Amino acid sequence: MGRQVVVTGAASGIGSAVRDLLRRRGDEVIGVDLHDVEVVADLSTREGRRAAADAVLGRAGGVVDAVVACAGTASPTEAAIKINYFGVVELLDLLRPGLVRAERPRAAVISSISSIQPYDAEVVAACATRDEERAVALAEKAVGEGRGQQLYASSKLALARWVRRTCVTSEWAGEEIPLNAVAPGVVVTPMTAALLATEGGRELVDRAVPMPLNGHAPPEAVAHALIWLVGPENTHMTGQVVFVDGGADATLRGEDSF
Ligand code: NAD
């Protein structure tokens, strides 16, 4: 029997690939995004996250088998912190009661190869204490000082650390909910289209994210990994940040980091 799976960012890119693959195997997908989905909501705000969770739980009859949180932005502004970190962790907290009611609940989120790039330590620390006002104020300061480029990496590192910290708690492991992340390299989606459209852009990207195995990935490459992580087959993998990156992490960090 199909499961009820919530996919954020389902209108585009990786989220859209996850939605299509899940539907093809008979699952019911409740998409959450800014447009073209079952639940239209803005995950950058507390009210938007609350409205999204209420609408999802209403549609799902209170039972959510899995959540795949793909919505995100590459904006070098405080929006990256609001959407990529708080938009993920707060929504997952709000949907957790629905997961607890499911027979084999699972959750997965998307970090990034950028999580190993330079970041703003103060912003990451504010995220860890779940202080959104402070994290956003620090992010706005970073933008003002020309350090906005670090905010995407900061949001994705904070998210990976949240997964590590949270997965083993009584609320997640204690409720038998595996919680993992994938960390993609460069994926060909609308998010990277402008950058990959020029030779200069491609050179820049390939220097920062070398992908010796098969190069830039189609969204399905990441979607398949996410689908396994939230599938019933995954009974014991939790707290992992799985790099789906054509070997970028292994190239950049080598054998000492695993
Ligand atoms: P995308 O731009 O194709 O899709 C992102 C989706 O998120 C869009 O449908 C967008 O409308 C939605 N979204 C953005 N802001 C939102 C908001 N405030 N509320 C609700 N929905 C919102 O991008 P993608 O490449 O598919 O990215 C998916 C995830 O993968 C993101 O978290 C991204 O950071 C991550 N990622 C992407 C790459 C890549 O190379 N494309 C690499 C590493 C990580």
Side-chain angles (χ1 to χ4, degrees), residues 15-125:
S16 163
V18 170
R19 179 197 58 194
D20 293 349
L21 289 168
L22 286 173
R23 281 196 179 143
R24 220 174 291 156
R25 69 175 204 185
D27 288 339
E28 191 193 320
V29 174
I30 302 176
V32 180
D33 205 311
L34 294 169
H35 52 84
D36 297 317
V37 284
E38 289 69 29
V39 173
V40 172
D42 180 357
L43 299 174
S44 70
T45 69
R46 282 212 177 94
E47 307 76 58
R49 296 164 204 150
R50 178 84 259 169
D54 288 349
V56 162
L57 291 170
R59 278 187 86 98
V63 183
V64 172
D65 293 294
V67 181
V68 187
C70 303
T73 179
S75 167
T77 68
E78 65 279 3
I81 302 302
K82 291 183 187 176
I83 299 166
N84 301 354
Y85 183 75
F86 290 97
V88 175
V89 305
E90 200 168 286
L91 187 70
L92 275 171
D93 277 353
L94 292 167
L95 291 178
R96 208 182 56 83
L99 286 166
V100 168
R101 288 187 209 103
E103 214 170 290
R104 286 171 295 183
R106 312 278 185 263
V109 307
I110 306 191
S111 178
S112 169
I113 187 68
S114 299
S115 62
I116 69 168
Q117 290 168 346
Y119 60 93
D120 184 317
E122 280 192 308
V123 170
V124 173

Side-chain angles (χ1 to χ4, degrees), residues 12-14 33 41-43 70-72 110 152 156 185 187 189-192:
S12 176
I14 298 168
D33 205 311
D42 180 357
L43 299 174
C70 303
I110 306 191
Y152 183 76
K156 296 298 188 178
V187 188
T189 70
M191 184 176 278
T192 50

